[in-house]
């Protein structure tokens, strides 16, 4: 699976782009979270790896900004306290056996969630996108 | 068979059923002392029994690394020329208090920057100074014959300070509660960010690694005990404030030389929308003087029990929702109201472990010797609530019956009720009296004006509520925060008990 962040500008947010691509290309796109208003929208979705390029191309053709880079960045300030762990709704943040805090970028919902960001006592978590 | 990873020294000369701190220090010097971390010791006791553990082990090292708000540092900045008797002072825009003579200052960890607010505070100033960073000192004074100066601005580093001592009046809580939140909204507390309706829980403390938990009767830890403090050697100088030994909520007061500390074990921190604090690393060596002490350091996480507490209720006596032990807390899930809830620590267990291991290596390398306490910590003090001379008002004091309706009523009927009962808020309930929503006279007026037909379409369903035991101050804070004028009063089952309005509260203040 490839996780993507789809950004819809206010000009195209009212168009059924995602469903069109699912129907036209026959790609099973799994929407994990979505924030949509009149000012624009953001969707986090999983696309099967073998069809990812095709889907991304289709989204870009319709004017959607597709971000496939990682969604979360944790810097060296992190000292493994765990204040973020219980807040994560998708278990992307967990404790390792030695109580190191581990971030799974593939599970992270990024900017559409961001529950952990302000809970970090040393501001070590940054969301991208 | 010894547990994996534990090696014991071969030649042991111990006889009898007790050993003294002086004897242990002799062994440290000759390289014969057997030191285990608290976690290693517990495994040894489980595999080989108390008797063997006592015979073989001289010292057990402990550790904890958590947010300890009652921390700060005393600094002496030396005299300026012409001299100043500092009245008010700031370092990097954080006000530092001036409790003594002319140039002694106390940097309180929780004091927040006047320009950067939550993002920077006294804890960060202490960390920056320990890191060797330059900070800005600003001071004002009224001026005296001997101290004429009234203003001062300069920059300083730790090298410029005469003394720079961490002086913490409450650290190292033996154990702490597990926090969760019953409210419908996220709350930001000193126990971290708590999601609505018990969606997460937090805890603090190292459990079986905590120093005081391994000496629960304070037989070896007392005034003068040498400890690991922030990466340097420090001392226990007494029991901490709010020390409550009877309930296993013991605390200590500590002091240590910041100039020798490491930022790995002293960190300024922010709890979002709560305030700034200081993470402090403390490790205490427990000398195994007799078998009884060996038995006490064998305590395991599952034996350390604490309460799950609802921080959604802003009262001194927050409701307790159940019991939990540290093994469950460290497992990542706890059960609250029969539901499995994610729980995580606020203190770093990984760093706590590292502290116990570092302290062990210091003793092995003969750079750290044990001290006998010159005075014991009290075992009988109580933690009393505040004496209050003025009554505080709660919602239950002004709650009155709410005018209600059900979802299936006509807008017209509800409008008539608003007029006949002369109210502005109608609480919508179901047939069991449970809260379904709220409509205001404004909503009704607009609906009538626009010829909107159905009540169900105009009901506000996301309702901010209060409970009878909420302080009026907290209730009026909600009104202001959400820019609303009334709060339905409900019980735990969301049954409507009445309503309080902004008008009720202002009447009370005007009284």
């Amino acid at each position: 699976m490839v996780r993507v962040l789809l950004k819809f500008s206010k000009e195209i947010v009212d168009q059924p782009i995602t469903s069109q691509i699912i129907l036209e290309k026959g790609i099973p796109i799994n929407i994990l979270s979505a924030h949509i208003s009149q000012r624009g929208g953001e969707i986090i979705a999983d696309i099967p790896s073998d069809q990812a390029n095709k889907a991304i191309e289709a989204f870009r053709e319709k004017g959607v900004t597709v971000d496939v880079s990682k969604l979360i960045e944790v810097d060296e300030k992190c000292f493994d306290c765990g204040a973020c762990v219980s807040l994560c709704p998708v278990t992307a943040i967990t404790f390792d056996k030695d109580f190191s805090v581990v971030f799974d970028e593939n599970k992270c919902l990024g900017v559409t969630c961001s529950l952990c960001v302000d809970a970090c006592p040393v501001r070590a978590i940054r969301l991208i996108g | 068979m010894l547990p994996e990873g534990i090696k014991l020294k071969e030649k042991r000369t111990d006889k009898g059923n007790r050993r003294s701190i002086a004897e242990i220090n002799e062994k440290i010097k000759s390289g014969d002392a057997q030191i285990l971390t608290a976690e290693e010791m517990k495994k040894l006791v489980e595999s080989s029994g108390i008797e063997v553990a006592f015979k073989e082990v001289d010292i057990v090292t402990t550790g904890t690394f958590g947010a300890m708000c009652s921390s700060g540092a005393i600094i002496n900045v030396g005299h300026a020329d012409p001299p100043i008797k500092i009245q008010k002072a700031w370092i990097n825009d954080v006000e530092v208090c001036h409790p003594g003579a002319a140039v002694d200052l106390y940097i309180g960890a929780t004091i927040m920057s006047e320009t950067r607010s939550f993002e920077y505070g006294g804890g960060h100033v202490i960390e920056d100074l320990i890191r060797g960073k330059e900070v800005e000192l600003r001071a004002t004074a009224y001026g005296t014959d001997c101290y004429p100066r009234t203003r001062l601005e300069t920059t300083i580093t730790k090298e410029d300070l005469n003394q720079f001592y961490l002086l913490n009046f409450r650290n190292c809580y033996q154990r702490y509660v597990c926090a969760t939140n019953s409210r419908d909204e996220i709350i930001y507390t000193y126990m971290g960010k708590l999601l609505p309706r018990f969606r997460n829980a937090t805890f603090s403390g190292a459990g079986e690694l905590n120093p005081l938990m391994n000496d629960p009767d304070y037989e070896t830890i007392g005034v003068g005990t040498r400890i690991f403090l922030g990466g340097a050697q420090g001392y226990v100088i007494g029991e901490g404030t709010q020390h409550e030994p009877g309930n296993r909520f013991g605390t200590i007061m500590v002091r240590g030389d910041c100039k020798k500390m490491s930022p790995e074990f002293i960190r300024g921190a922010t709890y979002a929308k709560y305030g700034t604090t200081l993470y402090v690393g403390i490790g205490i060596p427990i000398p195994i003087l007799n078998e009884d002490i060996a038995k006490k350091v064998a305590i395991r996480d599952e034996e350390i029990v604490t309460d799950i507490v609802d921080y959604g209720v802003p009262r001194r006596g927050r409701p307790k929702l159940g019991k939990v032990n540290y093994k469950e807390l460290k497992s990542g899930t706890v059960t609250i109201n029969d539901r499995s809830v994610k729980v995580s620590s606020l203190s770093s267990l990984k760093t706590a472990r590292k502290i116990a291991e570092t302290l062990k290596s210091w003793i092995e390398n003969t750079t750290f010797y044990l001290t006998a306490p010159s005075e014991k910590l009290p075992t009988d003090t109580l933690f009393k609530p505040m004496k209050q001379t003025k009554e505080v008002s709660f919602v239950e004091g002004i709650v009155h019956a709410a005018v209600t309706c059900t979802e299936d009523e006509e807008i017209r009927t509800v409008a008539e009720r608003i007029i006949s009962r002369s109210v502005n808020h109608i609480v919508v309930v179901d047939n069991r009296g449970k809260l379904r929503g709220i409509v205001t006279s404004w909503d009704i007026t607009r609906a009538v004006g626009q010829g909107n037909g159905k009540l169900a379409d105009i009901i506000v369903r996301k309702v901010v509520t209060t409970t009878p035991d909420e302080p009026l101050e907290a209730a009026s804070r909600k009104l202001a925060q959400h820019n609303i004028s009334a709060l339905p009063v409900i019980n735990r089952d969301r049954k409507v008990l009445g309503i309080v309005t902004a008008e009720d509260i202002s009447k009370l203040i005007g009284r």
Side-chain angles (χ1 to χ4, degrees):
Chain A
M1 282 290 179
V2 173
R3 181 152 302 180
V4 293
L5 170 64
L6 308 169
K7 288 184 192 167
F8 301 78
S9 64
K10 68 169 187 270
E11 289 76 25
I12 57 167
V13 74
D14 55 349
Q15 296 168 28
I17 295 172
T18 310
S19 36
Q20 274 170 2
I21 291 174
I22 293 171
L23 292 171
E24 284 168 17
K25 309 281 177 190
I27 303 172
I29 294 169
N30 187 18
I31 296 173
L32 299 162
S33 70
H35 272 220
I36 289 152
S37 74
Q38 287 170 340
R39 278 168 289 148
E42 281 181 340
I43 287 179
I44 301 259
D46 274 347
I47 308 174
S49 306
D50 55 339
Q51 289 161 294
N53 282 340
K54 203 163 101 186
I56 290 166
E57 206 176 297
F59 274 110
R60 286 186 174 147
E61 262 172 32
K62 290 184 189 289
V64 179
T65 310
V66 184
D67 197 344
V68 281
S69 65
K70 60 180 178 175
L71 301 170
I72 191 167
E73 215 168 61
V74 182
D75 65 31
E76 76 296 337
K77 290 199 292 290
C78 171
F79 58 82
D80 306 282
C81 71
C84 52
V85 175
S86 71
L87 295 167
C88 181
V90 290
T91 323
I93 319 175
T94 50
F95 277 116
D96 218 349
K97 267 190 197 139
D98 71 345
F99 286 114
S100 297
V101 174
V102 193
F103 291 80
D104 184 342
E105 285 158 14
N106 295 321
K107 283 189 185 170
C108 178
L109 298 179
V111 283
T112 57
C113 165
S114 70
L115 275 174
C116 58
V117 177
D118 68 350
C120 175
V122 288
R123 302 282 177 262
I125 309 172
R126 206 168 62 88
L127 293 176
I128 301 159
Chain B
M1 262 290 279
L2 289 176
E4 203 184 320
I6 296 177
K7 279 191 198 127
L8 297 174
K9 295 182 194 272
E10 273 177 19
K11 284 181 189 168
R12 304 287 303 169
T13 50
D14 272 354
K15 291 184 191 92
N17 56 5
R18 47 182 61 244
R19 57 174 80 93
S20 70
I21 287 177
E23 285 165 356
I24 293 175
N25 278 339
E26 277 304 314
K27 284 202 214 168
I28 295 175
K29 203 171 172 184
S30 63
D32 291 327
Q34 180 68 60
I35 309 137
L36 292 185
T37 67
E39 287 179 317
E40 291 168 337
M41 179 66 163
K42 291 164 210 295
K43 285 184 200 153
L44 178 66
V45 170
E46 270 169 20
S47 72
S48 312
I50 298 279
E51 208 176 315
V52 172
F54 164 65
K55 281 221 169 96
E56 296 290 338
V57 180
D58 300 298
I59 305 163
V60 166
T61 61
T62 60
T64 187
F65 186 64
M68 304 188 190
C69 287
S70 290
S71 297
I74 189 91
I75 60 170
N76 179 284
V77 295
H79 285 296
D81 184 32
I84 183 168
K85 175 179 182 274
I86 294 174
Q87 192 181 5
K88 278 189 138 190
W90 297 260
I91 297 180
N92 287 354
D93 289 341
V94 175
E95 186 163 8
V96 290
C97 53
H98 169 250
V103 288
D104 293 309
L105 301 170
Y106 186 79
I107 309 165
T110 57
I111 310 294
M112 298 193 288
S113 157
E114 289 177 1
T115 49
R116 291 166 65 191
S117 181
F118 288 99
E119 293 306 308
Y120 192 87
H124 299 92
V125 171
I126 294 169
E127 182 191 328
D128 278 349
L129 279 166
I130 289 174
R131 283 187 186 277
K133 287 191 187 167
E134 196 173 69
V135 296
E136 284 173 19
L137 171 68
R138 192 154 52 83
T140 56
Y142 51 85
T144 72
D145 288 343
C146 48
Y147 291 107
R149 194 152 179 177
T150 58
R151 302 194 76 81
L152 178 109
E153 266 178 46
T154 185
T155 60
I156 48 172
T157 69
K158 64 178 169 184
E159 304 307 327
D160 304 315
L161 302 173
N162 292 308
Q163 280 78 29
F164 178 21
Y165 279 98
L166 203 66
L167 199 57
N168 300 349
F169 42 95
R170 180 169 70 256
N171 277 181
C172 208
Y173 255 115
Q174 199 160 351
R175 63 187 176 104
Y176 212 77
V177 299
C178 167
T180 187
N181 170 27
S182 62
R183 280 196 229 168
D184 291 339
E185 60 195 345
I186 292 179
I187 59 170
Y188 294 86
T189 73
Y190 71 86
M191 290 299 284
K193 184 171 176 177
L194 297 170
L195 299 175
R197 298 194 194 180
F198 311 115
R199 287 224 315 270
N200 77 326
T202 60
F203 73 100
S204 191
E208 64 182 26
L209 251 180
N210 175 282
L212 297 181
M213 227 13 156
N214 282 287
D215 183 15
D217 300 308
Y218 323 120
E219 292 165 275
T220 72
I221 302 171
V223 178
T225 298
R226 186 178 291 135
I227 60 172
F228 173 111
L229 180 59
Q233 296 187 16
Y235 293 90
V236 174
I237 55 174
E239 89 272 24
T241 54
Q242 300 186 9
H243 179 61
E244 201 184 4
N247 283 329
R248 294 273 189 265
F249 274 111
T251 69
I252 50 173
M253 204 177 275
V254 302
R255 176 257 205 205
D257 190 350
C258 284
K259 289 191 183 184
K260 295 177 181 153
M261 289 183 188
S262 151
E264 188 181 0
F265 302 110
I266 284 277
R267 294 288 293 272
T270 293
Y271 276 14
K273 297 181 193 176
Y274 174 75
T276 61
T277 185
L278 188 69
Y279 272 74
V280 180
I282 295 182
I284 303 188
I286 315 278
I288 309 303
L289 304 176
N290 53 54
E291 228 178 89
D292 190 41
I293 291 173
K295 206 173 182 173
K296 286 175 186 168
V297 298
I299 190 166
R300 298 306 311 247
D301 278 334
E302 50 266 45
E303 299 167 75
I304 305 170
V305 177
T306 194
D307 293 311
I308 300 170
V309 172
D310 180 5
Y311 276 64
V313 178
R315 295 292 296 270
R316 182 169 61 207
R318 298 184 184 100
K320 292 175 182 171
L321 305 172
K323 300 259 180 215
V324 65
N325 66 50
Y326 270 78
K327 189 179 181 183
E328 294 166 302
L329 291 174
K330 289 180 186 177
S331 79
T333 43
V334 288
T335 307
I336 300 173
N337 297 339
D338 300 323
R339 260 179 48 210
S340 176
V341 174
K342 270 195 186 184
V343 65
S344 62
S345 62
L346 301 162
S347 54
S348 170
L349 294 164
K350 190 184 175 189
T351 313
R353 243 181 212 170
K354 192 167 181 189
I355 288 168
E357 276 156 18
T358 308
L359 180 56
K360 178 182 168 182
S361 71
W362 285 357
I363 303 171
E364 280 171 347
N365 299 333
T366 69
T367 53
F368 187 107
Y369 286 88
L370 307 197
T371 57
S374 50
E375 194 180 295
K376 297 242 159 131
L377 298 183
T379 53
D380 57 355
T381 46
L382 300 173
F383 174 31
K384 292 179 290 190
M386 185 187 283
K387 176 194 166 196
Q388 292 172 117
T389 53
K390 277 190 179 164
E391 238 178 84
V392 179
S393 309
F394 295 98
V395 167
E396 63 196 356
I398 61 162
V399 58
H400 54 82
V403 178
T404 62
C405 70
T406 53
E407 247 175 279
D408 49 17
E409 289 188 64
E410 295 290 327
I411 286 189
R412 203 187 149 71
T413 329
V414 178
E416 279 164 11
R417 200 167 301 151
I418 283 179
I419 296 162
S420 68
R421 304 287 295 271
S422 67
V423 290
N424 280 316
H425 303 87
I426 302 270
V427 180
V428 187
V429 294
D430 65 11
N431 51 18
R432 287 172 303 169
K434 288 194 182 185
L435 181 69
R436 299 287 297 168
I438 194 165
V439 279
T440 63
S441 49
W442 162 248
D443 298 327
I444 298 283
T445 311
R446 192 172 49 181
V448 170
Q450 291 172 347
N452 221 337
K454 283 183 73 183
L455 180 69
D457 295 337
I458 61 163
I459 293 171
V460 175
R461 295 183 192 273
K462 212 175 168 191
V463 190
V464 185
T465 60
T466 180
T467 53
D469 58 358
E470 187 161 58
L472 268 193
E473 229 176 289
S476 56
R477 200 173 132 85
K478 279 183 185 171
L479 292 175
Q481 261 176 354
H482 297 277
N483 193 23
I484 49 174
S485 53
L487 300 165
V489 183
I490 59 169
N491 69 8
R492 289 197 156 267
D493 301 322
R494 300 187 68 75
K495 195 169 175 297
V496 175
L497 306 173
I499 192 164
V500 289
T501 64
E503 211 178 332
D504 300 330
I505 294 175
S506 52
K507 264 188 217 156
L508 194 80
I509 292 163
R511 205 161 60 187

